[in-house]
Amino acid sequence: MTLVLAALAVAFAGLIGGLTGFGASLVGTPLLLLTGLPLPQVVLINLIVTMTTRFAVLHRERRHVVWRRVAVLGAASLPGAAAGALTLHWLPPHGLRILAGAVVILSGLRLLLRPADRVHEATPRRQAVAGLLGGYLSTTTSLNGAPPAVLLAAAKVPPRTFVADLAGYFVVTNALSLLLLAAAGQVSAEGLWPQLLVLLAAGAVGNAIGGRLVGRVPRKLFERAVVGLIVVSGVVTVVGA
């Protein structure tokens, strides 16, 4: 029963991730935690499923990628991810969930309360900060999409570029995070691999459905969905702690 619920959670998260470009882990984390899976396994599932599905998105949307921005975000995530992997065993899972939820909520509120006509350029400095924060959240909670999503949403980049840039960021950051967690001895997939294949398939199906909607959703609705998703996911994460 747990596997069925986890597969449904991953499929739904994949659909949201395919549509918004970043929501898979934000949605998947609280839902997977509610199924009873421990946080370390949830982090591993999210990192692997998101990285795998983002490869397909990156290939599909490659003409819309701003590669220099992806490179800065990915490179900046490395020290953050390393810090997260090294300090993970010092922090209690309960506290990590509250911290992650608070970061997500504040990120969403920042977007919600900003003037609608204000655009914050995604400068290299801001990209580096977003990548660094995302890297730390990646190895500690797998909620690494919020900082770069806030950056791109504040810059009001077109939806397809938003999705494409985040796909590139996730491929790089999740791969680095998995390698760092493995090096730190924080990856434990014992008893998870057979179920992981089912979850990968579920995530791929949901992602494919969501991906078909990219570019068809009106921009204002897309932006509101992004902000709403950020805030709601953060609240659910904190409440579930």
Side-chain angles (χ1 to χ4, degrees), residues 16 20 45 51 107 109 177 192-193 200 212:
I16 299 299
T20 65
I45 291 169
M51 181 183 67
S107 299
L109 290 177
S177 298
L192 183 61
W193 286 117
L200 279 169
R212 290 181 177 273

PDB file of all heavy atoms in Angstrom, residues 16 20 45 51 107 109 177 192-193 200 212:
ATOM      1  N   ILE A  16       3.232  18.170 -11.772  1.00  0.00           N
ATOM      2  CA  ILE A  16       3.450  19.570 -11.386  1.00  0.00           C
ATOM      3  C   ILE A  16       4.835  20.031 -11.817  1.00  0.00           C
ATOM      4  O   ILE A  16       5.015  21.144 -12.316  1.00  0.00           O
ATOM      5  CB  ILE A  16       3.281  19.743  -9.866  1.00  0.00           C
ATOM      6  CG1 ILE A  16       1.859  19.354  -9.431  1.00  0.00           C
ATOM      7  CG2 ILE A  16       3.592  21.174  -9.449  1.00  0.00           C
ATOM      8  CD1 ILE A  16       0.766  20.184 -10.052  1.00  0.00           C
ATOM      9  N   THR A  20       5.500  23.237 -14.174  1.00  0.00           N
ATOM     10  CA  THR A  20       6.118  24.451 -13.632  1.00  0.00           C
ATOM     11  C   THR A  20       7.638  24.460 -13.741  1.00  0.00           C
ATOM     12  O   THR A  20       8.257  25.513 -13.624  1.00  0.00           O
ATOM     13  CB  THR A  20       5.747  24.630 -12.152  1.00  0.00           C
ATOM     14  OG1 THR A  20       6.325  23.551 -11.388  1.00  0.00           O
ATOM     15  CG2 THR A  20       4.249  24.639 -11.955  1.00  0.00           C
ATOM     16  N   ILE A  45      14.954   9.628  -3.282  1.00  0.00           N
ATOM     17  CA  ILE A  45      13.939   9.433  -4.331  1.00  0.00           C
ATOM     18  C   ILE A  45      13.770  10.701  -5.151  1.00  0.00           C
ATOM     19  O   ILE A  45      13.768  10.679  -6.387  1.00  0.00           O
ATOM     20  CB  ILE A  45      12.594   9.009  -3.710  1.00  0.00           C
ATOM     21  CG1 ILE A  45      12.687   7.592  -3.140  1.00  0.00           C
ATOM     22  CG2 ILE A  45      11.473   9.087  -4.756  1.00  0.00           C
ATOM     23  CD1 ILE A  45      11.508   7.209  -2.281  1.00  0.00           C
ATOM     24  N   MET A  51      16.168  14.289 -11.308  1.00  0.00           N
ATOM     25  CA  MET A  51      17.289  14.340 -12.250  1.00  0.00           C
ATOM     26  C   MET A  51      16.970  13.556 -13.522  1.00  0.00           C
ATOM     27  O   MET A  51      17.220  14.030 -14.636  1.00  0.00           O
ATOM     28  CB  MET A  51      18.549  13.770 -11.597  1.00  0.00           C
ATOM     29  CG  MET A  51      19.772  13.797 -12.505  1.00  0.00           C
ATOM     30  SD  MET A  51      21.229  13.033 -11.753  1.00  0.00           S
ATOM     31  CE  MET A  51      20.713  11.320 -11.659  1.00  0.00           C
ATOM     32  N   SER A 107      10.156  32.361   0.540  1.00  0.00           N
ATOM     33  CA  SER A 107      10.418  32.566  -0.886  1.00  0.00           C
ATOM     34  C   SER A 107       9.127  32.895  -1.625  1.00  0.00           C
ATOM     35  O   SER A 107       9.072  33.820  -2.448  1.00  0.00           O
ATOM     36  CB  SER A 107      11.053  31.304  -1.489  1.00  0.00           C
ATOM     37  OG  SER A 107      12.274  31.014  -0.870  1.00  0.00           O
ATOM     38  N   LEU A 109       6.273  34.080  -0.330  1.00  0.00           N
ATOM     39  CA  LEU A 109       5.718  35.363   0.112  1.00  0.00           C
ATOM     40  C   LEU A 109       6.463  36.527  -0.517  1.00  0.00           C
ATOM     41  O   LEU A 109       5.869  37.564  -0.826  1.00  0.00           O
ATOM     42  CB  LEU A 109       5.773  35.453   1.635  1.00  0.00           C
ATOM     43  CG  LEU A 109       4.817  34.522   2.393  1.00  0.00           C
ATOM     44  CD1 LEU A 109       5.026  34.655   3.905  1.00  0.00           C
ATOM     45  CD2 LEU A 109       3.362  34.827   2.034  1.00  0.00           C
ATOM     46  N   SER A 177      24.779  16.456  -6.042  1.00  0.00           N
ATOM     47  CA  SER A 177      24.278  16.158  -4.694  1.00  0.00           C
ATOM     48  C   SER A 177      24.346  14.667  -4.393  1.00  0.00           C
ATOM     49  O   SER A 177      24.747  14.255  -3.294  1.00  0.00           O
ATOM     50  CB  SER A 177      22.836  16.649  -4.549  1.00  0.00           C
ATOM     51  OG  SER A 177      22.762  18.049  -4.708  1.00  0.00           O
ATOM     52  N   LEU A 192      15.342  -0.270  -1.336  1.00  0.00           N
ATOM     53  CA  LEU A 192      14.598   0.757  -2.066  1.00  0.00           C
ATOM     54  C   LEU A 192      14.616   0.536  -3.573  1.00  0.00           C
ATOM     55  O   LEU A 192      13.699   0.968  -4.271  1.00  0.00           O
ATOM     56  CB  LEU A 192      15.185   2.138  -1.735  1.00  0.00           C
ATOM     57  CG  LEU A 192      14.498   3.366  -2.333  1.00  0.00           C
ATOM     58  CD1 LEU A 192      13.049   3.464  -1.841  1.00  0.00           C
ATOM     59  CD2 LEU A 192      15.252   4.637  -1.988  1.00  0.00           C
ATOM     60  N   TRP A 193      15.635  -0.176  -4.083  1.00  0.00           N
ATOM     61  CA  TRP A 193      15.821  -0.246  -5.528  1.00  0.00           C
ATOM     62  C   TRP A 193      14.646  -0.838  -6.293  1.00  0.00           C
ATOM     63  O   TRP A 193      14.255  -0.279  -7.314  1.00  0.00           O
ATOM     64  CB  TRP A 193      17.116  -0.996  -5.856  1.00  0.00           C
ATOM     65  CG  TRP A 193      18.330  -0.165  -5.576  1.00  0.00           C
ATOM     66  CD1 TRP A 193      19.305  -0.424  -4.671  1.00  0.00           C
ATOM     67  CD2 TRP A 193      18.689   1.086  -6.169  1.00  0.00           C
ATOM     68  NE1 TRP A 193      20.243   0.579  -4.660  1.00  0.00           N
ATOM     69  CE2 TRP A 193      19.889   1.526  -5.575  1.00  0.00           C
ATOM     70  CE3 TRP A 193      18.099   1.888  -7.153  1.00  0.00           C
ATOM     71  CZ2 TRP A 193      20.520   2.707  -5.930  1.00  0.00           C
ATOM     72  CZ3 TRP A 193      18.719   3.076  -7.519  1.00  0.00           C
ATOM     73  CH2 TRP A 193      19.921   3.472  -6.909  1.00  0.00           C
ATOM     74  N   LEU A 200      10.283   5.724 -10.475  1.00  0.00           N
ATOM     75  CA  LEU A 200      10.838   6.388 -11.656  1.00  0.00           C
ATOM     76  C   LEU A 200       9.834   6.378 -12.807  1.00  0.00           C
ATOM     77  O   LEU A 200       9.657   7.390 -13.500  1.00  0.00           O
ATOM     78  CB  LEU A 200      12.130   5.702 -12.094  1.00  0.00           C
ATOM     79  CG  LEU A 200      13.407   6.077 -11.340  1.00  0.00           C
ATOM     80  CD1 LEU A 200      14.535   5.120 -11.693  1.00  0.00           C
ATOM     81  CD2 LEU A 200      13.810   7.509 -11.656  1.00  0.00           C
ATOM     82  N   ARG A 212       3.481  18.464 -21.536  1.00  0.00           N
ATOM     83  CA  ARG A 212       2.641  18.791 -22.685  1.00  0.00           C
ATOM     84  C   ARG A 212       1.871  20.102 -22.476  1.00  0.00           C
ATOM     85  O   ARG A 212       1.381  20.697 -23.444  1.00  0.00           O
ATOM     86  CB  ARG A 212       1.649  17.653 -22.953  1.00  0.00           C
ATOM     87  CG  ARG A 212       2.302  16.396 -23.497  1.00  0.00           C
ATOM     88  CD  ARG A 212       1.286  15.319 -23.768  1.00  0.00           C
ATOM     89  NE  ARG A 212       1.891  14.140 -24.361  1.00  0.00           N
ATOM     90  CZ  ARG A 212       2.089  13.965 -25.648  1.00  0.00           C
ATOM     91  NH1 ARG A 212       1.728  14.908 -26.507  1.00  0.00           N
ATOM     92  NH2 ARG A 212       2.652  12.866 -26.111  1.00  0.00           N
TER      93      ARG A 212
END
